[in-house]
Amino acid sequence: MNQAEEFQRIGKRLRQEGLVGANFGNMSVRDGTGFLITRNGAFLDCPKNLVYVPLDGAVPPEASSEYRVHREVYRLSRHLAVVHAHPPHAVAISLHRDCINPIDSEGEMFCPTIPVVTGPPGSMEMAKRVASTLKDGGAVIVRGHGTFCGARSLEEGYVLTSIVEHSCRVLLLSRVK
Amino acid sequence: MNQAEEFQRIGKRLRQEGLVGANFGNMSVRDGTGFLITRNGAFLDCPKNLVYVPLDGAVPPEASSEYRVHREVYRLSRHLAVVHAHPPHAVAISLHRDCINPIDSEGEMFCPTIPVVTGPPGSMEMAKRVASTLKDGGAVIVRGHGTFCGARSLEEGYVLTSIVEHSCRVLLLSRVK
Amino acid sequence: MNQAEEFQRIGKRLRQEGLVGANFGNMSVRDGTGFLITRNGAFLDCPKNLVYVPLDGAVPPEASSEYRVHREVYRLSRHLAVVHAHPPHAVAISLHRDCINPIDSEGEMFCPTIPVVTGPPGSMEMAKRVASTLKDGGAVIVRGHGTFCGARSLEEGYVLTSIVEHSCRVLLLSRVK
Amino acid sequence: MNQAEEFQRIGKRLRQEGLVGANFGNMSVRDGTGFLITRNGAFLDCPKNLVYVPLDGAVPPEASSEYRVHREVYRLSRHLAVVHAHPPHAVAISLHRDCINPIDSEGEMFCPTIPVVTGPPGSMEMAKRVASTLKDGGAVIVRGHGTFCGARSLEEGYVLTSIVEHSCRVLLLSRVK
């Protein structure tokens, strides 16, 4: 399976599970001294041409507008893939917390503490906070915005995104007494 | 991709995301001195023949029963497409508010104030209110009924519909303390 | 499109919208002095062979175990199709009410009062109550069990089922203050 | 339909209904003096090669990491298939209860008492508790983790999983007053 097919395979799963809607979310994989990222405005289940962004140097205008986060993550960590999604329960719960502690088994095992950071989407400020947080872990939520997961592959990044949303959903559902 | 295929592509996405159920919702695109609209009772993911409605003149009986809203929008604004859906969280939240202010990043960016208007579905009264509201923005909710989004294309109208529903869902989920 | 294909087309939509899960739900269409109904245990999106049940006379053992409801509806009314589903919001809300009054536009228009009846699933007692209620309307909920919609076609019965669930979902969501 | 196709058919349904996300969940069928189980990390809708695990003897490293539960179930009961999923409402409700009593018709009929057991996922301790509980019934929830259903076939195990989740969802929805 080539890179384009792998992006599409994972994009379809992200969408089928409701982890992204419309043309939101973006994904990248490390590639040499840069990374391949989805286009700005692309539907993740139909990503078409990927865009190559170097870690240093000019960024093609068609790259996802959140390329700064991906670039900072690759600069600061050894992650080989980054998945950004907008899972509704994770977004909602992040509005009231500085960090999320799952109470389901998978969350406790794979992301016992999910940090919440702040900053305007697309900004360098937010990019640096996400990247700095992902040095020590795989998942972070930008308050009111969405998840960023650093991983060894797109599949692993998607799986972690799914766990974070499942954990946040269980947390919210467990409040209904 | 021709017009019919584009309507179907967007209709499928509206349905997959749960933004419309059954044979609800309708869509149109501006075309010369009129517009192409989905048939009355059509499933948006399977729209079949579209109906041409002139801005002035007789309306074919098979046109969506909400053609008045679409016609008024094109008469009063420069929008090139209109998407009407029944997203459940947007409908629910509209029952108690005169306007909705998203608290998630995408809502804050793309529809910081979502007006709520009232009026019987299909009526000229409601059509004029929706059209008047869409002169200054892209999204409006008719209380207890659904969203109307004016845009440059069906895709843009669908994306905005998806943002509105995401924002309303996050608003409701954030109430679970 | 033949009968088997029509059952499958509607069954797929019922399932895609989450109106039935697993192998629940059943559907029938009037046919001469009897009706065609889905098999007991059939998946509605994959109904395979339909079963003919006469209004009077022996019932084939492979017919849906809820054939009594369908038979009573055809005996007492002019409905040409019956759709039974297990929509979760309609089931939940039926537990605390004797009748449901939608507050969304579609519910107010198409099912302003949805009666709730009681009785053990599969029993003659429940069958008679559902049939008696459907004489005057298209939709009824059996408490804690599911919806029965009488209509002129499977499509119409499915659309009504979808409206009932949408209305109940909006009612429940509107409680989140 | 061969075994691999049957696993995939059921895996697709589990995923479509939201009963498992990402690469979670696992399934097995009894086969002679052992059982066939999904691979560790496999997507249930795309299970690829199954793994044979003997009731006694070495376990291939590619077997699902929850093989212990499946093995104990087959050792202690006559079940011919085991389905493990992570349905969100069942997981959430299990956090606060020692046993769940459905209030919807299907739950009352097919799983009137759903026991909740505890124990670390993958552990022998948890495996023994699940297996011991499944001797007398078909469904159990491991607190904060997921469901295990013992049955005569994968289809029956999936149907029971779907009922458990439906019942737990109705229970939670019925709290919204």
Side-chain angles (χ1 to χ4, degrees):
Chain A
M1 193 179 285
N2 65 31
Q3 285 281 25
E5 288 168 350
E6 180 63 1
F7 271 75
Q8 179 159 37
R9 182 177 78 92
I10 297 303
K12 280 184 179 172
R13 288 185 176 269
L14 285 164
R15 184 172 171 89
Q16 283 165 356
E17 284 189 38
L19 299 168
V20 293
N23 57 1
F24 288 107
N26 37 74
M27 301 187 281
S28 68
V29 293
R30 181 77 194 246
D31 186 355
T33 57
F35 55 96
L36 278 168
I37 193 168
T38 46
R39 286 177 305 111
N40 190 23
F43 289 100
L44 292 193
D45 60 333
C46 189
K48 295 182 188 163
N49 296 333
L50 302 170
V51 182
Y52 184 79
V53 176
L55 287 195
D56 293 292
V59 177
E62 61 270 26
S64 164
S65 64
E66 302 219 63
Y67 72 84
R68 286 181 190 83
V69 184
H70 297 252
R71 194 175 57 185
E72 291 307 301
V73 172
Y74 294 124
R75 281 175 174 165
L76 288 188
S77 74
R78 296 191 168 192
H79 291 303
L80 299 177
V82 174
V83 172
H84 169 50
H86 293 187
H89 298 84
V91 170
I93 209 170
S94 76
L95 291 164
H96 303 307
R97 307 208 195 180
D98 293 327
C99 118
I100 295 161
N101 296 108
I103 55 176
D104 67 299
S105 309
E106 280 61 49
E108 287 177 344
M109 199 179 312
F110 296 108
C111 48
T113 299
I114 309 167
V116 174
V117 303
T118 59
S123 71
M124 198 60 196
E125 174 194 356
M126 189 266 267
K128 285 185 180 298
R129 285 185 191 150
V130 168
S132 162
T133 308
L134 286 186
K135 268 198 297 186
D136 302 320
V140 62
I141 306 179
V142 177
R143 178 166 293 153
H145 177 46
T147 50
F148 283 94
C149 292
R152 284 169 298 182
S153 66
L154 288 180
E155 180 171 311
E156 195 181 279
Y158 143 64
V159 168
L160 189 51
T161 305
S162 177
I163 295 174
V164 169
E165 175 66 350
H166 181 71
S167 293
C168 290
R169 192 174 176 196
V170 167
L171 268 169
L172 285 172
L173 285 172
S174 73
R175 302 300 171 82
V176 182
K177 295 287 163 64
Chain B
M1 193 180 286
N2 66 30
Q3 284 281 27
E5 288 168 350
E6 179 63 1
F7 271 75
Q8 179 159 37
R9 181 177 78 92
I10 297 302
K12 280 184 179 172
R13 288 186 177 269
L14 284 164
R15 184 172 171 88
Q16 283 165 355
E17 284 189 36
L19 300 168
V20 294
N23 57 0
F24 288 107
N26 37 74
M27 302 186 282
S28 68
V29 293
R30 181 77 192 246
D31 186 355
T33 58
F35 55 94
L36 278 168
I37 193 168
T38 46
R39 286 176 305 111
N40 191 22
F43 289 100
L44 292 194
D45 59 334
C46 189
K48 294 182 188 162
N49 296 333
L50 302 170
V51 182
Y52 184 79
V53 176
L55 287 194
D56 293 293
V59 176
E62 60 270 26
S64 164
S65 64
E66 301 220 63
Y67 71 85
R68 285 181 191 84
V69 185
H70 296 253
R71 195 175 55 185
E72 291 307 301
V73 172
Y74 295 124
R75 280 176 175 166
L76 288 189
S77 73
R78 296 192 167 191
H79 292 303
L80 298 177
V82 174
V83 172
H84 170 50
H86 292 187
H89 298 84
V91 170
I93 209 170
S94 76
L95 290 164
H96 302 308
R97 308 208 193 179
D98 293 327
C99 117
I100 295 160
N101 296 108
I103 54 176
D104 67 299
S105 308
E106 281 60 48
E108 288 179 343
M109 199 180 312
F110 295 109
C111 49
T113 299
I114 308 167
V116 175
V117 302
T118 59
S123 70
M124 198 61 197
E125 174 194 355
M126 189 264 268
K128 284 185 181 299
R129 283 185 192 151
V130 168
S132 162
T133 308
L134 286 187
K135 267 199 296 186
D136 302 320
V140 62
I141 305 179
V142 178
R143 178 167 293 153
H145 176 47
T147 50
F148 283 94
C149 292
R152 284 169 299 181
S153 65
L154 289 180
E155 180 172 313
E156 195 181 279
Y158 143 64
V159 167
L160 189 51
T161 305
S162 177
I163 295 174
V164 169
E165 175 66 350
H166 181 71
S167 293
C168 291
R169 192 174 177 196
V170 168
L171 268 169
L172 285 172
L173 286 172
S174 73
R175 302 301 172 80
V176 181
K177 295 287 163 62
Chain C
M1 193 180 285
N2 66 31
Q3 285 281 26
E5 288 168 350
E6 179 64 1
F7 271 75
Q8 179 160 36
R9 181 177 78 93
I10 298 301
K12 280 184 180 172
R13 288 186 177 269
L14 285 164
R15 185 173 171 89
Q16 283 165 355
E17 284 189 37
L19 300 167
V20 294
N23 57 0
F24 288 108
N26 37 75
M27 301 186 282
S28 69
V29 294
R30 181 76 193 247
D31 185 356
T33 57
F35 55 95
L36 278 168
I37 192 168
T38 45
R39 285 177 306 111
N40 191 22
F43 289 99
L44 292 194
D45 60 333
C46 189
K48 294 183 187 162
N49 296 332
L50 302 170
V51 183
Y52 184 80
V53 176
L55 287 193
D56 294 292
V59 176
E62 60 270 26
S64 164
S65 64
E66 301 219 64
Y67 71 86
R68 285 181 190 84
V69 184
H70 297 253
R71 194 175 56 184
E72 291 308 301
V73 171
Y74 294 124
R75 281 176 174 164
L76 288 188
S77 74
R78 296 190 168 193
H79 292 302
L80 298 177
V82 174
V83 172
H84 170 50
H86 292 186
H89 297 84
V91 170
I93 209 170
S94 76
L95 291 164
H96 303 307
R97 307 208 194 179
D98 294 326
C99 119
I100 294 161
N101 296 108
I103 54 176
D104 67 299
S105 308
E106 281 60 49
E108 288 179 343
M109 199 179 312
F110 295 109
C111 49
T113 299
I114 308 167
V116 174
V117 302
T118 59
S123 71
M124 198 59 196
E125 175 193 355
M126 189 265 267
K128 285 186 180 298
R129 284 186 191 150
V130 168
S132 162
T133 307
L134 286 187
K135 268 198 296 186
D136 302 321
V140 62
I141 306 179
V142 177
R143 178 166 293 152
H145 176 48
T147 50
F148 283 94
C149 292
R152 285 169 297 182
S153 66
L154 289 179
E155 179 171 312
E156 196 182 278
Y158 143 64
V159 168
L160 189 50
T161 305
S162 177
I163 295 173
V164 169
E165 174 67 350
H166 180 71
S167 292
C168 292
R169 191 174 177 196
V170 167
L171 269 169
L172 285 172
L173 285 173
S174 73
R175 302 301 171 81
V176 181
K177 296 287 162 64
Chain D
M1 193 180 284
N2 64 32
Q3 285 282 25
E5 288 168 350
E6 180 63 1
F7 271 75
Q8 179 160 36
R9 181 177 79 93
I10 297 303
K12 280 184 179 172
R13 288 186 176 269
L14 285 164
R15 185 172 171 90
Q16 283 165 355
E17 285 189 35
L19 300 167
V20 293
N23 57 0
F24 289 107
N26 37 74
M27 302 186 281
S28 69
V29 293
R30 181 76 192 246
D31 186 355
T33 57
F35 55 97
L36 278 169
I37 193 168
T38 45
R39 285 177 305 111
N40 190 23
F43 288 99
L44 291 193
D45 60 334
C46 188
K48 296 183 186 161
N49 295 333
L50 302 170
V51 183
Y52 184 80
V53 176
L55 287 194
D56 294 291
V59 177
E62 61 270 27
S64 163
S65 64
E66 301 219 62
Y67 72 85
R68 285 181 190 84
V69 184
H70 296 253
R71 194 175 56 185
E72 291 308 300
V73 172
Y74 294 124
R75 281 175 174 164
L76 288 189
S77 73
R78 296 191 168 193
H79 292 302
L80 299 177
V82 173
V83 171
H84 170 50
H86 293 187
H89 297 85
V91 170
I93 209 170
S94 76
L95 291 164
H96 303 306
R97 308 209 194 179
D98 292 327
C99 121
I100 294 161
N101 296 108
I103 54 176
D104 68 298
S105 308
E106 281 60 49
E108 287 178 343
M109 199 179 312
F110 296 108
C111 48
T113 299
I114 309 167
V116 174
V117 303
T118 59
S123 71
M124 198 60 195
E125 174 194 356
M126 189 266 267
K128 284 185 180 298
R129 285 186 191 150
V130 168
S132 163
T133 308
L134 287 186
K135 268 198 296 186
D136 302 321
V140 62
I141 306 179
V142 178
R143 177 165 295 152
H145 176 47
T147 50
F148 283 93
C149 292
R152 285 169 297 182
S153 65
L154 288 180
E155 180 172 312
E156 195 181 278
Y158 143 64
V159 167
L160 189 51
T161 305
S162 177
I163 295 174
V164 169
E165 174 67 349
H166 180 71
S167 293
C168 291
R169 191 173 177 196
V170 168
L171 268 169
L172 284 172
L173 285 172
S174 73
R175 302 301 171 83
V176 182
K177 295 284 162 66

